Amino acid sequence: MAHYNTILNQIASFLPRHDFEKLAQKHHQGHKFRSYSRWSQFMAMTVAQLTGRKSLRDLVSNLAAKGKRIYHLGMKQTSRTTLARVNEQQPHELYQEMFFKLLRTCEEHAPKHRFKFKGKILLLDATTINLCLTVFPWATYRKTKGAIKLNFGLDADGYLPVFMDMTEGKRHEIELARALKLPAGSCVVFDRGYTDYSWYGDLDKSNITFVTRLKSNSGAYQFGNRRKPDTEDVVLDCKVKLPGHQATFRQVNYVDPETGKEYQFLTNSKKIKASEVAAIYKERWQIELFFKWIKQNLKVKTFLGTSPNAVLTQLWIALCVYLLLSYFKFMAKFRGSISEILRILQLSLFERRPLSDLLRPPDKVHQETNSPQLLLWN
């Protein structure tokens, strides 16, 4: 009978240990560890994400019950105080840098977006997470309430998060948006919360296409000839100017055939068809679904530490887990949702069986299992 590592061990094998240790040395503060390691921290926090542990005590007790299965992961047993101290003190930048390494791997296998637009399509939005101000005094929001704001960019190719920035809850998202270095030739999609006419002009000058909603009180005025609608759902397609700005933009009014509701879109693109402008903006809903998913399935609303560094450590590890789940979905050509993959892994995390079996259709589970190695790329 073939011997298999645990499912968690096979997941960990996707993170080159040598590269991880180099990053751990790069992002280390204070004295060297005597017996603990950043790898042990990462694996413990990853288990917390995959199993939904509610506290450090709960997590440590769960790991202690696994005995030798933890040893074979290359991690050591830890106490609650040790893990808490490492989360508080050791730089979260280790996991931020690891996230971008995983992202590059995922991007190579992610499916492309479905639009005729040739460049990248980035979905921009922010979500607020409420916190107790007495426990997180640095997370200022209102007089008696605390919160953090997570600013995300989601790539329409595979719906992968390509950047994340955490700010105080009271900081407006447009402040971060103005500082973004978006790639020329890309298209950025955002809602009316990012309304800033000067920023629109800057995007246009930088050869970046944008699609957004137009506020009803925008003061935009039409001029020139109207374009002929490319579908019956497009009721207006014309040039507009915004008050106080000389740049010329384009307004597209579109009636949703399902609801009968009319939407007013604003873009600087002259080439994209009006109906596709509406379809691209509708794609923005995917980032709302992404927010809903990570809040329901990963630990990004309750935290196992109270300092900004501990919070960011947990967030970046959560995003690394999301990328791993996405990678498995891409490589296995899994037809189900990423939620199904997570549920499958949660039920089998410490079982000794091929990870490839879990993600294959039932009629292929027993094929090509002579090797204990993961066979997702077959």
Side-chain angles (χ1 to χ4, degrees):
M1 182 177 178
H3 170 78
Y4 298 100
N5 290 324
T6 63
I7 295 298
L8 182 58
N9 195 302
Q10 293 172 68
I11 293 173
S13 69
F14 282 89
L15 304 167
R17 187 69 180 274
H18 177 70
D19 292 343
F20 183 93
E21 294 302 334
K22 287 175 64 176
L23 291 177
Q25 292 178 11
K26 177 181 176 182
H27 300 287
H28 182 81
Q29 289 183 351
H31 299 291
K32 291 184 178 180
F33 292 115
R34 291 183 179 179
S35 59
Y36 203 61
S37 67
R38 297 300 295 274
W39 178 255
S40 296
Q41 177 201 22
F42 172 69
M43 290 309 302
M45 295 298 287
T46 297
V47 170
Q49 291 293 341
L50 290 172
T51 60
R53 297 295 107 186
K54 297 180 180 179
S55 66
L56 284 177
R57 190 184 302 278
D58 180 28
L59 172 60
V60 170
S61 299
N62 179 262
L63 292 174
K66 302 304 178 184
K68 292 182 179 180
R69 295 183 180 183
I70 296 299
Y71 173 79
H72 289 297
L73 284 167
M75 62 181 294
K76 297 183 179 180
Q77 291 288 357
T78 182
S79 67
R80 181 172 58 89
T81 54
T82 297
L83 184 54
R85 184 175 65 253
V86 174
N87 286 348
E88 295 282 331
Q89 298 178 358
Q90 291 302 315
H92 68 271
E93 285 83 1
L94 162 60
Y95 303 113
Q96 182 178 359
E97 192 166 342
M98 189 172 72
F99 166 83
F100 285 107
K101 285 182 175 291
L102 285 171
L103 177 62
R104 287 193 289 271
T105 300
C106 285
E107 287 177 330
E108 294 175 0
H109 304 281
K112 302 303 179 183
H113 65 71
R114 57 188 176 86
F115 302 100
K116 293 181 179 180
F117 183 81
K118 294 182 179 180
K120 282 284 187 182
I121 296 179
L122 302 175
L123 316 173
L124 194 64
D125 207 348
T127 186
T128 300
I129 295 176
N130 294 322
L131 298 174
C132 176
L133 192 57
T134 56
V135 179
F136 301 87
W138 48 270
T140 56
Y141 184 44
R142 294 174 183 167
K143 189 174 182 179
T144 60
K145 294 183 179 181
I148 55 175
K149 184 170 287 185
L150 304 182
N151 300 270
F152 276 94
L154 199 70
D155 191 340
D157 293 350
Y159 305 124
L160 298 173
V162 292
F163 67 80
M164 187 276 289
D165 194 279
M166 184 183 79
T167 64
E168 297 174 350
K170 66 180 181 180
R171 186 178 178 186
H172 201 285
E173 49 265 39
I174 191 59
E175 294 182 31
L176 180 69
R178 292 193 196 102
L180 289 176
K181 295 182 179 179
L182 301 169
S186 63
C187 174
V188 60
V189 188
F190 46 87
D191 64 15
R192 289 176 289 192
Y194 289 84
T195 298
D196 184 328
Y197 298 163
S198 296
W199 184 49
Y200 296 172
D202 293 339
L203 291 174
D204 192 52
K205 291 175 183 177
S206 301
N207 191 30
I208 297 170
T209 300
F210 71 84
V211 175
T212 187
R213 290 274 300 279
L214 191 62
K215 285 188 173 182
S216 58
N217 63 348
S218 66
Y221 56 93
Q222 305 173 21
F223 71 98
N225 296 325
R226 297 186 179 187
R227 292 190 181 194
K228 183 179 180 180
D230 63 303
T231 68
E232 62 180 10
D233 299 318
V234 176
V235 295
L236 178 68
D237 185 357
C238 66
K239 294 180 182 179
V240 295
K241 286 191 175 182
L242 300 172
H245 295 272
Q246 295 301 315
T248 300
F249 299 108
R250 181 180 168 200
Q251 179 178 340
V252 172
N253 288 15
Y254 177 86
V255 176
D256 188 330
E258 296 181 2
T259 65
K261 184 177 179 179
E262 182 174 328
Y263 296 89
Q264 297 180 335
F265 302 111
L266 185 73
T267 182
N268 61 333
S269 173
K270 299 177 182 178
K271 297 180 180 179
I272 302 177
K273 290 184 177 180
S275 57
E276 185 156 282
V277 169
I280 288 175
Y281 185 84
K282 188 175 182 180
E283 189 78 344
R284 200 199 66 81
W285 181 244
Q286 293 298 329
I287 197 168
E288 301 288 354
L289 296 178
F290 169 76
F291 289 154
K292 182 179 180 180
W293 193 93
I294 62 172
K295 287 180 178 180
Q296 290 181 344
N297 295 280
L298 298 177
K299 289 192 71 62
V300 297
K301 291 199 301 182
T302 57
F303 297 96
L304 306 183
T306 59
S307 72
N309 186 74
V311 170
L312 282 166
T313 292
Q314 187 170 323
L315 288 172
W316 283 115
I317 291 176
L319 292 177
C320 287
V321 170
Y322 183 86
L323 290 183
L324 285 171
L325 295 174
S326 298
Y327 180 76
F328 298 153
K329 178 176 173 62
F330 299 156
M331 295 301 292
K333 296 180 173 58
F334 190 76
R335 294 182 179 179
S337 68
I338 199 170
S339 296
E340 292 178 62
I341 294 179
L342 179 59
R343 286 195 292 270
I344 290 170
L345 295 181
Q346 287 173 335
L347 294 172
S348 312
L349 203 56
F350 291 96
E351 290 185 12
R352 296 183 182 276
R353 58 181 298 188
L355 175 55
S356 53
D357 280 5
L358 295 179
L359 304 181
R360 284 179 175 166
D363 59 334
K364 294 185 178 181
V365 166
H366 299 295
Q367 297 178 14
E368 301 176 2
T369 55
N370 294 326
S371 170
Q373 299 299 316
L374 187 64
L375 301 175
L376 291 180
W377 48 83
N378 285 353

